[in-house]
Amino acid sequence: MPREAAKLGAMQAWRGAILWFDPHTDEPHVHFEPDSWLVTAADADGVQRVVAVGPADALRAAYPDAAVTDCRGCLIAPGFIDLHIHYPQTDVIGSPADGLLPWLERYTFPHEARFADADHAAEVARFFVDELLRHGVTTALAFATSHPVSVDALLIEAGARGLRCIAGKVLQDRHSPDGVRDETERSLADTEALIARWHGRGRLGYAITPRFAPSCSDAQMRGAGELAGRYPDVWVQSHVAENVDEVRWVRELYPHDRSYLAVYERFGLLRPRAVYAHGIYLDDADRALLAQTGAAIAVSPTSNLFLGSGFFDYAAARAGSVRHGLASDVGGGMSFNPFVTMRAAYTVSRATVRGDGQPKVGLSLSAVDLWWQHTAGAARALGLDGVIGSLAPGSEADFVVLDAQAIPLLARRTAQAASLAEWLFAWVMLADERVVRQVIVAGTPVQTHHFTDASGALHVGSVS
Ligand SMILES: [Zn+2]
């Protein structure tokens, strides 16, 4: 028994096949046991954490009093982390457009204008949080809209469910239509007030959220950078280098900056806990800047394919030690589902042209790598490694129970896998939300929409 056991609350144990990753590494170090226990308990502050994880026989002896939930036949894994998502765009998902800029103008801005109304924001927030949980997503870094009430609506809803959620009021004081455009001084005062109201409250956090460089005046960017300096543990989220037309526009607006990313650097917006969506049109100097400053990229492959934006260059990002993780970017992305995102990331990693059309060598990312990018890798990009995204002892108890039997083809294919790598690859290629039996947020099951008692052995072939 660990020395601190006396201080812990009642032990719970979850039994099944368990997958997790070391929390503090820049590449995936995977752990997998076909018959394992995950032991959780509340710490002295009442936070439910992982106490131990390991082979069932050894932990049964070490924790004889734990109440056991039998999930044999299922896979237990860390809850997924979505590194970039727009909750107000829930209702524009699947809207066709020629590209990013027309899509923003035609669908996104008119919908976002409705979030000045607190009741509308609350209704969408409820549906949005349900969708996250239905898909096994237990942490989201989310854009709200420019209206402060939209942040309140989301964080009230996430807080009520115990969900870890980081959100921010969008800053956009220019090149934005009436209804979403904000006013410079007021927008910065609102941001600071929201930081005071929400950041660090329970599992909630705040992100300073310039929409993207074209939508913010110099004064607003400067103000955002000052806040980012004054509140170093508050997150920063924005977009960078998503689309060729957008990159061209930034070059016109900021002719003296070396690159799109350099604009954010000039205003003090590149630092640890800064997460930029997309990062397709970057060069080596940009990647060096990201590595140096500790800012991260939220890779958003379904969105990039849907809007025809381009392909994230995994090989270059890896060579440049750029921190990155996976994101849905709903509603530019067309699915909340982490498996759909992982599949799209695999497809993008195979691409043999760069975003700018030049030839490159495609990678072939493993399932372990893709899964890591949506859990422990994403946690590291957020500066929350060791807190979420892993089942290492000490982690907060956010995890999912997944059942391959929910999908006949997945059950059949995984039963024939010859190795752990092949077994996980079948999951990544074939799973969807039907496999999500339970979602455990801070040690408590929150989602039981199609849970039935687990039974039967897990068919994993010759996993060693
Ligand atoms: Zn986005």
Side-chain angles (χ1 to χ4, degrees):
M1 296 279 279
R3 196 162 39 83
E4 65 276 26
K7 281 191 294 183
L8 298 170
M11 299 278 174
Q12 298 192 63
W14 300 76
R15 182 176 186 181
I18 299 185
L19 173 77
W20 59 283
F21 306 91
D22 282 343
H24 302 295
T25 59
D26 285 322
E27 52 190 41
H29 291 172
V30 67
H31 299 260
F32 179 80
E33 286 279 347
D35 185 12
S36 195
W37 268 30
L38 180 71
V39 182
T40 66
D43 68 12
D45 298 323
V47 180
Q48 289 279 343
R49 294 185 188 280
V50 175
V51 175
V53 59
D57 289 343
L59 292 191
R60 189 191 298 112
Y63 300 94
D65 299 329
V68 184
T69 304
D70 191 350
C71 302
R72 275 178 293 176
C74 290
L75 173 64
I76 297 170
F80 291 103
I81 297 168
D82 194 328
L83 262 191
H84 177 71
I85 187 165
H86 299 254
Y87 100 86
Q89 293 176 15
T90 301
D91 292 331
V92 299
I93 192 168
S95 299
D98 288 340
L100 171 68
L101 302 178
W103 177 83
L104 282 173
E105 213 165 293
R106 178 148 176 222
Y107 298 103
T108 306
F109 290 151
H111 269 268
E112 292 197 5
R114 300 180 64 193
F115 284 73
D117 172 19
D119 290 340
H120 177 72
E123 192 275 327
V124 177
R126 201 168 309 127
F127 185 87
F128 173 80
V129 170
D130 275 344
E131 281 300 292
L132 291 180
L133 292 172
R134 227 161 60 71
H135 290 88
V137 176
T138 55
T139 295
L141 176 60
F143 271 53
T145 63
S146 56
H147 317 93
V149 292
S150 71
V151 176
D152 295 336
L154 176 59
L155 293 182
I156 286 169
E157 187 65 31
R161 318 275 194 104
L163 196 76
R164 188 175 265 285
C165 186
I166 303 160
K169 172 213 135 36
V170 172
L171 298 168
Q172 51 182 121
D173 67 351
R174 64 167 180 167
H175 300 135
S176 306
D178 291 348
V180 295
R181 190 179 56 256
D182 58 12
E183 187 276 316
T184 314
E185 288 309 314
R186 175 76 191 273
S187 72
L188 298 167
D190 285 344
T191 296
E192 196 158 20
L194 287 164
I195 291 170
R197 191 177 315 156
W198 291 111
H199 187 68
R201 181 163 157 186
R203 308 184 82 205
L204 306 173
Y206 194 81
I208 298 161
T209 309
R211 179 164 212 120
F212 62 157
S215 77
C216 303
S217 66
D218 277 16
Q220 197 176 42
M221 290 283 272
R222 199 173 305 114
E226 282 166 13
L227 289 171
R230 207 175 318 146
Y231 297 98
D233 67 330
V234 163
W235 283 269
V236 174
Q237 60 178 347
S238 191
H239 298 90
V240 72
E242 172 178 3
N243 166 291
V244 283
D245 294 333
E246 171 214 21
V247 172
R248 195 177 306 125
W249 192 20
V250 171
R251 202 173 300 132
E252 288 164 16
L253 293 171
Y254 297 96
H256 304 300
D257 288 288
R258 199 200 66 81
S259 69
Y260 189 164
L261 188 76
V263 176
Y264 294 116
E265 185 206 16
R266 178 159 60 86
F267 289 108
L269 290 162
L270 297 185
R271 60 156 170 72
R273 295 199 165 199
V275 178
Y276 287 82
H278 309 299
I280 294 172
Y281 301 94
L282 300 176
D283 60 17
D284 287 344
D286 290 328
R287 284 182 276 266
L289 191 55
L290 288 166
Q292 238 169 56
T293 57
I297 295 292
V299 183
S300 308
T302 70
S303 170
N304 299 156
L305 295 168
F306 180 74
L307 290 170
S309 300
F311 305 98
F312 179 73
D313 193 336
Y314 270 103
R318 298 278 162 103
S321 303
V322 174
R323 218 161 256 190
H324 57 280
L326 282 175
S328 67
D329 190 28
V330 162
M334 70 287 226
S335 176
F336 279 79
N337 196 274
F339 292 101
V340 172
T341 301
M342 289 192 277
R343 286 202 269 292
Y346 177 76
T347 307
V348 163
S349 78
R350 299 288 284 152
T352 51
V353 287
R354 298 195 319 223
D356 59 7
Q358 296 303 306
K360 67 162 186 172
V361 179
L363 294 181
S364 186
L365 296 181
S366 69
V368 162
D369 191 322
L370 292 160
W371 209 304
W372 171 82
Q373 288 181 55
H374 230 339
T375 55
R380 195 149 166 76
L382 284 172
L384 289 174
D385 38 317
V387 180
I388 51 169
S390 176
L391 299 177
S395 306
E396 294 177 355
D398 287 349
F399 54 95
V400 289
V401 179
L402 307 174
D403 182 6
Q405 303 300 319
I407 301 178
L409 183 59
L410 175 63
R412 184 180 173 90
R413 182 65 190 86
T414 48
Q416 297 176 51
S419 65
L420 174 63
E422 209 178 296
W423 186 72
L424 285 175
F425 198 75
W427 276 93
V428 167
M429 289 299 134
L430 300 171
D432 59 38
E433 67 269 34
R434 285 172 291 176
V435 304
V436 181
R437 272 198 175 199
Q438 276 202 305
V439 180
I440 289 83
V441 168
T444 305
V446 293
Q447 181 72 12
T448 57
H449 66 286
H450 54 234
F451 183 78
T452 51
D453 286 342
S455 63
L458 187 65
H459 303 287
V460 291
S462 56
V463 170
S464 54

